[in-house]
Amino acid sequence: MFSQKKIKEIRDQFPILKTKINDNSLVYIDNAATTQKPIKVIQTANEFYIKQNSNIHRGVHFLSRQATEKVEFVRKQIQKMIHAKLSSEIIFTKGATESINLIAYSIEPLIKKGDEIIISYMEHHSNIIPWKILCDRKQATLKIIPINKNGLLELEYFESIISYKTKLVSITHLSNVLGIINPVKDIIKKSHKYGSMVLIDGAQVPSNLDIDVQDLNVDFYVFSAHKMYGPTGIGILYGKKDILDTIPPYQSGGEMIKYASFKKCNYSDLPFKFEAGTPNIEGIVVWGSAIDFVQELGIKNIQLYKKELLIYAIKRLNSIDGIHLYGGGMNNIDVKSSIISFNLDRLHYFDVGMILDKLGIAVRTGTLCAQPLINFFNVEGMIRVSFSIYNTFQEVDYLYECLIKAKNMLFKSVIL
Ligand SMILES: *Cc1c(COP(=O)(O)O)cnc(C)c1O
């Protein structure tokens, strides 16, 4: 595992962590919303505009060739990172949300009235709403896999509803609220038995786990760069070539067309068929350097350190009177990543979040883009802490102290 010294070296690479809030050092534990960026990634963005800026795949000139090469290099980096068979199976989008919408529109011709799409209770809104809209458009039925009190999917229920009517199963790999890692390989296998396609929402995964799309045998896999130390506004859709070849494009325009006249058009080959318009070239190039950052540290090392931090945090938080941790705490430790959502008895999550903010701690509060899941636990909102490689055991101690402080302050005001 990384030593304290190594973690300090890593922290030093993140300039934003030097921020002071009301004289308190920033404790950034909202990493499931977005991670901070190391200096190397920030410098890559500068360098791009100073030395490399140009449009891609179009110009005959030096800069355009160079930018094109960079973009295609990053595509190959991602192909290797997720063990895809072909780099043309990697489609650049603006993020996980756009990737899911792309599929929700492009598979429309495959969905008939009465067909079914299965999702789960623990999905992010971006893996719920596109399917709800598709089902409404096509008079198809959206079916939901429930979860148990510990936050695990009810897999027996899933097996009871999957059928030949199921056209798509779309499940999160790692819940952004509970931190639970779902048994997606098993779900994919069971779905394929009925001929259903499977999309896995991997938005939380690249900074936490290894991804092997061929081993999973998944049809579509999506994530964004900004939750793995990269920039916002860029992400990917991975799709199996034989499926992507047969479904229509989601948007049209430049780049995605091989031949165009007013009578006829031929689409480009993959991946360009799904990449209409000038992409986020800067974002792609900068993402490449975020991937280097993760790979230099090693995802296994990151995983080990974050697990230790998670265990420590669960134990400290559990020792607070009146705290409710959602998603099983230590019971689920083998399938849990470094995200903890909780509430404090009789206190409003928002008030707690405000006090933490005054003390320099950045957490997420509210419905966490997963309202059905929040409702499942019969609350209106939660407080979420989510760790990254630059967080420390001392920060967990500080969080603990501040929660006690918040409790004392708020309780006083409740009693008065
Ligand atoms: C963040 C997140 C998304 C959406 O990602 P964007 O980058 O906002 O498109 C989808 N699913 C999960 C599980 C997430 O955590």
Side-chain angles (χ1 to χ4, degrees):
M1 197 179 81
F2 287 143
S3 63
Q4 298 248 337
K5 184 163 160 271
K6 175 76 181 170
I7 297 300
K8 168 135 195 352
E9 272 171 37
I10 294 171
R11 284 182 69 79
D12 286 344
Q13 296 175 42
F14 288 80
I16 207 167
L17 297 180
K18 301 205 167 54
T19 306
K20 296 274 180 199
I21 295 158
N22 304 324
D23 276 344
N24 300 301
S25 297
L26 168 69
V27 173
Y28 187 81
I29 43 178
D30 190 18
N31 295 286
T34 198
T35 53
Q36 297 302 343
K37 321 303 170 198
I39 189 72
K40 170 179 162 154
V41 167
I42 300 167
Q43 282 165 347
T44 307
N46 262 338
E47 238 164 72
F48 175 77
Y49 284 115
I50 292 173
K51 296 190 192 147
Q52 300 160 347
N53 177 51
S54 186
N55 211 327
I56 54 168
H57 297 133
R58 309 172 185 206
V60 289
H61 58 81
F62 175 79
L63 285 181
S64 176
R65 277 202 312 275
Q66 190 178 261
T68 306
E69 265 170 35
K70 277 257 173 202
V71 163
E72 292 312 313
F73 178 81
V74 176
R75 199 190 302 275
K76 289 211 167 71
Q77 259 186 308
I78 295 167
Q79 175 203 354
K80 278 196 206 124
M81 176 177 111
I82 66 170
H83 305 279
K85 200 159 156 195
L86 306 164
S87 64
S88 60
E89 293 175 318
I90 311 295
I91 313 290
F92 286 117
T93 63
K94 75 182 164 79
T97 304
E98 189 180 40
S99 300
I100 296 172
N101 276 279
L102 188 162
I103 293 303
Y105 280 88
S106 290
I107 66 165
E108 181 163 340
L110 306 176
I111 310 291
K112 298 184 306 294
K113 184 175 170 178
D115 282 347
E116 295 176 354
I117 290 176
I118 298 178
I119 60 172
S120 87
Y121 253 98
M122 67 164 88
E123 301 310 318
H124 187 283
H125 292 159
S126 56
N127 197 27
I128 299 175
I129 313 302
W131 308 122
K132 158 114 187 64
I133 292 174
L134 174 62
C135 285
D136 288 351
R137 271 201 316 264
K138 303 295 285 199
Q139 294 177 282
T141 308
L142 192 61
K143 296 214 151 176
I144 321 289
I145 309 170
I147 57 174
N148 65 23
K149 269 210 292 279
N150 273 337
L152 301 178
L153 289 178
E154 298 270 17
L155 289 173
E156 278 172 22
Y157 185 89
F158 167 66
E159 283 171 43
S160 75
I161 57 170
I162 178 100
S163 76
Y164 288 104
K165 285 192 206 160
T166 313
K167 287 295 170 309
L168 181 90
V169 176
S170 191
I171 301 286
T172 187
H173 197 160
L174 201 174
S175 161
N176 63 307
V177 177
L178 306 170
I180 297 288
I181 300 160
N182 287 319
V184 290
K185 192 171 172 181
D186 187 42
I187 291 172
I188 292 164
K189 206 165 151 201
K190 286 179 174 140
S191 306
H192 284 166
K193 270 197 198 148
Y194 292 90
S196 170
M197 296 181 288
V198 182
L199 184 149
I200 298 296
D201 173 0
Q204 293 292 340
V205 179
S207 62
N208 283 301
L209 305 171
D210 238 347
I211 302 168
D212 187 331
V213 291
Q214 288 192 79
D215 179 57
L216 289 176
N217 194 17
V218 67
D219 302 296
F220 309 113
Y221 199 98
V222 308
F223 54 88
S224 309
H226 69 97
K227 291 176 181 173
M228 59 169 300
Y229 313 102
T232 50
I234 186 71
I236 60 127
L237 161 70
Y238 158 82
K240 279 185 185 161
K241 179 180 187 321
D242 54 346
I243 303 179
L244 292 181
D245 270 338
T246 55
I247 57 178
Y250 158 60
Q251 291 184 336
S252 52
E255 191 66 39
M256 53 76 67
I257 208 80
K258 204 183 259 170
Y259 174 84
S261 73
F262 295 117
K263 292 222 170 84
K264 182 179 144 197
C265 62
N266 292 332
Y267 302 141
S268 300
D269 295 330
L270 292 177
F272 309 114
K273 170 179 155 186
F274 290 101
E275 292 182 354
T278 301
N280 181 353
I281 302 169
E282 174 217 327
I284 296 169
V285 172
V286 177
W287 190 4
S289 110
I291 295 171
D292 289 341
F293 172 79
V294 170
Q295 289 180 340
E296 279 159 22
L297 292 175
I299 196 78
K300 286 274 182 306
N301 296 327
I302 295 177
Q303 217 175 330
L304 272 175
Y305 178 72
K306 285 167 83 174
K307 190 62 151 248
E308 290 300 315
L309 208 54
L310 172 71
I311 293 172
Y312 186 66
I314 291 177
K315 287 186 176 156
R316 290 244 60 186
L317 293 184
N318 262 335
S319 72
I320 299 175
D321 245 5
I323 197 163
H324 299 277
L325 265 49
Y326 304 98
M330 287 304 287
N331 298 339
N332 287 338
I333 198 69
D334 292 339
V335 290
K336 202 163 154 76
S337 180
S338 54
I339 297 175
I340 308 173
S341 295
F342 62 94
N343 268 311
L344 292 167
D345 238 1
R346 294 195 285 155
L347 300 184
H348 198 282
Y349 53 87
F350 185 74
D351 296 336
V352 178
M354 291 273 283
I355 292 180
L356 292 181
D357 173 51
K358 296 259 182 300
L359 297 166
I361 302 181
V363 297
R364 177 82 188 268
T365 62
T367 56
L368 313 179
C369 292
Q371 198 153 15
L373 176 59
I374 305 295
N375 292 349
F376 176 88
F377 286 102
N378 257 323
V379 290
E380 280 167 24
M382 295 179 185
I383 304 158
R384 178 182 72 188
V385 303
S386 49
F387 299 110
S388 180
I389 190 63
Y390 39 69
N391 292 122
T392 65
F393 293 87
Q394 290 85 340
E395 286 179 320
V396 174
D397 290 336
Y398 183 64
L399 169 70
Y400 170 86
E401 285 160 27
C402 292
L403 284 171
I404 301 282
K405 212 181 253 180
K407 249 184 75 168
N408 291 339
M409 283 168 70
L410 290 168
F411 264 128
K412 245 183 227 140
S413 67
V414 170
I415 291 160
L416 293 176

